[in-house]
Amino acid sequence: MADDQASYTRIIQTGDGVAPPPAATPGEHPAIVWRPRLGEEERFDLAARSTRVGRHEENDIVLAGPTVSARHATIRREAVGTVIEDDGSLNGTFVNGELVQQQLLEAGDRIQIGPHLLVYVPSR
């Protein structure tokens, strides 16, 4: 696939008897894990206090696709934990299948931004 082509993640709902993908290993910082294709994994450590996610190249995490807003969401590390906040995106930010404006993330939470499925991994 050429570098300028969009990559999409197929979202599969897990049901009874279907094991979720193996959990990523916790690191020094909380992280967002993206699995663009079967067998591939990209980890984004949340070392900064604030991490921007969206389609535009100025974001810290860049996700391609027409349903991803230029500046889609912000992930912040706060005293209470890691929080994701939708930045007024057109198609919304989902955590575990629920549309959210702001959400405190917990280990294993599935974040959907456009066609992309991301998984939250807390620090050790």
Side-chain angles (χ1 to χ4, degrees):
M1 178 184 317
D3 288 339
D4 61 343
Q5 287 183 317
S7 170
Y8 297 95
T9 301
R10 187 171 143 209
I11 307 301
I12 300 173
Q13 296 294 329
T14 58
D16 292 335
V18 178
T25 306
E28 182 179 343
H29 299 287
I32 295 296
V33 174
W34 176 46
R35 295 183 174 109
R37 287 179 267 305
L38 188 61
E40 294 181 18
E41 181 175 290
E42 192 165 345
R43 181 186 184 101
F44 300 97
D45 285 330
L46 304 174
R49 183 178 168 128
S50 179
T51 302
R52 293 183 310 173
V53 182
R55 191 180 66 243
H56 196 276
E57 293 294 324
E58 289 180 0
N59 290 298
D60 303 300
I61 300 174
V62 178
L63 301 173
T67 57
V68 178
S69 294
R71 184 163 177 186
H72 201 100
T74 301
I75 302 169
R76 294 186 318 276
R77 292 175 52 201
E78 298 183 356
V80 295
T82 304
V83 175
I84 188 165
E85 183 172 3
D86 187 87
D87 287 338
S89 68
L90 184 61
N91 293 300
T93 299
F94 295 82
V95 176
N96 299 324
E98 298 291 324
L99 180 64
V100 299
Q101 289 301 312
Q102 186 177 60
Q103 176 78 35
L104 179 64
L105 296 173
E106 297 180 14
D109 277 350
R110 297 177 323 276
I111 302 161
Q112 186 175 342
I113 294 179
H116 305 283
L117 182 63
L118 311 161
V119 178
Y120 174 69
V121 180
S123 58
R124 290 185 222 136

